[in-house]
């Protein structure tokens, strides 16, 4: 019914870090808002706009349709704590789609206390772990930083504004989650492709056989 991809985040203001935990959350948010917009449920189920890392479960409205219900199918993806598939799930939940889940696989979950540190999860959602790494490399090895994060620098993404950039992406997704149709590039001078070979007449087929036999005879004489 709907699909979303990491590379689409470029259109929402994030041309880099499109395979990170934060990107997974943004893609989940995108597909949820896109789906609900398609089903005309976006206004009734706005989801969680206060992204604080706490668990959010959609509640049905009293005077309207039930929330759209989905079940996470991880397939062959890793399901260890901190796996990015669960960042997508969190984005879907915050986007207003009902998806039953716990918090034990989110970053910040303490097994002994059986409690989630929401601040840790929030940090991951906004790419805080990436910005921390960027800051450390920038201080320890400026040359490595410029090489490793050259695309970030080109896009104007810094450790200081990384979280703000993701917040802007979330806002842009909510403003317009509809998929953009790709523009087809056409060349006016291009010749149409011929997928079917033109049939040969009897004379052409005989000539083709004659040439094949002649080439085979030449090869035999060389041997």
């Amino acid at each position: 019914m709907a699909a979303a991809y990491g590379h689409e985040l470029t259109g929402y203001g994030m041309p880099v870090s499109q395979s990170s935990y934060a990107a997974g959350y943004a893609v989940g948010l995108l597909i949820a808002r896109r789906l609900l917009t398609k089903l005309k449920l976006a206004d009734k189920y706005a989801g969680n706009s206060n992204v604080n890392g706490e668990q959010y479960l959609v509640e049905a409205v009293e005077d309207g349709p039930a929330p759209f219900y989905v079940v996470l199918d991880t397939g062959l993806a890793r399901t260890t704590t901190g796996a990015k598939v669960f960042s997508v799930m969190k984005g879907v939940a915050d986007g207003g789609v009902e998806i039953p889940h716990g918090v034990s696989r989110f970053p910040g979950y303490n097994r002994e206390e059986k409690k989630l540190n929401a601040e840790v999860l929030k940090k991951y959602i906004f790419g805080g772990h990436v910005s921390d790494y960027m800051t450390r490399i920038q201080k320890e090895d400026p040359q490595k930083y410029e090489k490793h994060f050259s695309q970030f620098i080109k896009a104007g993404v810094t450790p200081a504004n990384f979280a703000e950039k993701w917040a802007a992406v979330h806002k842009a997704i909510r403003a317009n989650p509809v998929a953009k149709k790709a523009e087809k590039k056409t060349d006016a001078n291009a010749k149409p492709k011929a997928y079917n070979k033109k049939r040969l007449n009897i004379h052409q087929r005989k000539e083709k056989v004659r040439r094949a036999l002649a080439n085979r005879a030449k090869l035999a004489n060389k041997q």
Side-chain angles (χ1 to χ4, degrees), residues 200-215:
L200 303 178
N201 58 38
I202 184 64
H203 300 293
Q204 291 171 328
R205 291 199 297 273
K206 286 182 177 180
E207 178 63 19
K208 185 177 180 180
V209 172
R210 186 191 66 78
R211 290 179 181 176
L213 292 174
N215 290 335

Side-chain angles (χ1 to χ4, degrees), residues 103-104 106-118:
V103 298
S104 61
F106 292 141
Y109 180 77
N110 190 309
R111 285 187 177 183
E112 295 180 357
E113 298 180 3
K114 294 184 178 180
K115 185 178 179 181
L116 174 68
N117 186 336

Side-chain angles (χ1 to χ4, degrees), residues 73-206:
D73 181 0
T74 59
L76 298 176
R78 288 191 311 127
T79 55
T80 54
T81 300
K84 285 181 283 189
V85 66
F86 297 117
S87 69
V88 178
M89 181 184 71
K90 176 60 175 167
V92 170
D94 283 359
V97 172
E98 183 179 4
I99 179 168
H101 66 279
V103 298
S104 61
R105 291 304 184 189
F106 292 141
Y109 180 77
N110 190 309
R111 285 187 177 183
E112 295 180 357
E113 298 180 3
K114 294 184 178 180
K115 185 178 179 181
L116 174 68
N117 186 336
E119 287 298 321
V120 174
L121 178 55
K122 180 182 177 180
K123 181 178 180 179
Y124 273 73
I125 289 173
F126 287 97
H129 58 302
V130 178
S131 60
D132 285 349
Y133 177 71
M134 292 172 67
T135 301
R136 180 167 63 84
I137 297 300
Q138 191 176 30
K139 291 180 180 179
E140 295 177 355
D141 192 342
Q143 289 185 345
K144 181 179 179 181
Y145 174 82
E146 292 181 2
K147 182 179 180 181
H148 192 70
F149 293 102
S150 60
Q151 295 302 314
F152 285 64
I153 297 170
K154 185 178 179 181
V157 178
T158 67
N161 68 13
F162 201 39
E164 295 177 5
K165 291 282 188 181
W166 280 118
V169 170
H170 300 167
K171 185 177 181 180
I173 287 173
R174 288 184 172 278
N176 182 19
V178 179
K180 299 174 180 63
K181 292 184 178 180
E183 296 181 1
K184 292 184 178 180
K185 295 181 180 180
T186 57
D187 185 357
N189 299 322
K191 294 181 180 179
K193 293 182 178 179
Y195 293 98
N196 298 322
K197 292 183 178 180
K198 188 177 179 180
R199 294 187 63 181
L200 303 178
N201 58 38
I202 184 64
H203 300 293
Q204 291 171 328
R205 291 199 297 273
K206 286 182 177 180

